[in-house]
Amino acid sequence: MTGPQLDHLVYAVPDLAAGVAAFTERTGVRPVPGGSHPGGTANHLVRFGPTAYLEIIGPDPEASARPRAFGLENLTAPRLAAWAVRPDDIDKSVRQARERGHDPGDVRPLSRRTPAGALLEWRLTRREDPAAVRPVPFLIDWGGTPHPAASADLPLVSLISFSAVHTEPDALRRDLAALDLRLDVSPGPEPALRAVIDTPLGPVTLR
């Protein structure tokens, strides 16, 4: 991948506790609780390094309504659902992408509380998208908030490769190019994301 920096991959699971347990069993690495979001989701994290991480996200066990984010409302099996990149200037990147024919969505604020009670705040692009898998990334800007992956408390795994499958590879490549991104894209019957990570139990593929 080239262009803006990879920020994180989003691995959506229908049940957070079960999803974290399954990931731990497959990898030998136990993700650390990240916190709860206002929209009814919660997450656990592992890091790829000091500036990128894997987010395992699912319905917050403490929330009453099932969230819609990342297709969680109807999700029945874990899925690599989305990814985020971090440009130098998020507002400029949005303007340029729109000029090039791709609308990343409006930039909106979001936040979550860590288990220790600290408030993390950031800005990201959001658009209405019913797709189960989003092969075009959203943009994120952490502002003055410390990046989650900078925490030494997060267990470390290595991202070996990251790629996408799409029914129209050239169309996806055009949208990625509008964001100054290049990614390995291959044709397939439906959109999908694929990440291979190196773990204590050997390479593990998430898709």
Side-chain angles (χ1 to χ4, degrees):
M1 190 192 87
T2 61
Q5 279 193 300
L6 173 68
D7 191 85
H8 66 278
L9 306 183
V10 180
Y11 190 56
V13 296
D15 181 284
L16 189 56
V20 168
F23 181 88
T24 302
E25 183 177 358
R26 289 181 68 192
T27 65
V29 174
R30 182 174 295 279
V32 171
S36 299
H37 304 101
T41 58
N43 63 18
H44 281 58
L45 312 176
V46 299
R47 62 189 175 119
F48 298 132
T51 60
Y53 64 97
L54 173 70
E55 174 185 31
I56 301 174
I57 190 168
D60 187 344
E62 304 299 321
S64 55
R66 192 167 184 88
R68 297 178 58 191
F70 303 115
L72 289 171
E73 189 176 31
N74 301 308
L75 191 66
T76 58
R79 176 173 58 214
L80 198 56
W83 57 303
V85 296
R86 191 172 61 256
D88 291 333
D89 184 328
I90 191 171
D91 299 296
K92 180 180 178 181
S93 291
V94 168
R95 289 195 302 270
Q96 288 183 342
R98 287 171 173 165
E99 291 169 358
R100 297 168 179 173
H102 171 70
D103 184 4
D106 295 330
V107 181
R108 301 179 185 178
L110 201 61
S111 65
R112 68 172 166 86
R113 289 276 178 187
T114 68
L119 179 65
L120 303 184
E121 298 179 285
W122 62 92
R123 301 167 67 221
L124 52 70
T125 55
R126 302 186 72 170
R127 55 182 293 181
E128 293 299 322
D129 187 348
V133 175
R134 303 175 190 182
V136 180
F138 59 94
L139 310 180
I140 192 165
D141 175 11
W142 290 95
T145 292
H147 195 275
S151 172
D153 294 336
L154 266 60
L156 180 65
V157 298
S158 297
L159 180 62
I160 299 174
S161 66
F162 177 60
S163 58
V165 173
H166 202 271
T167 54
E168 300 179 49
D170 289 340
L172 175 55
R173 292 188 187 103
R174 285 194 296 271
D175 287 341
L176 293 172
L179 297 171
D180 291 322
L181 291 166
R182 293 179 62 190
L183 186 70
D184 182 15
V185 181
S186 56
E190 58 185 11
L193 297 170
R194 180 178 183 269
V196 181
I197 59 175
D198 191 22
T199 78
L201 300 183
V204 170
T205 300
L206 303 177
R207 64 182 81 215

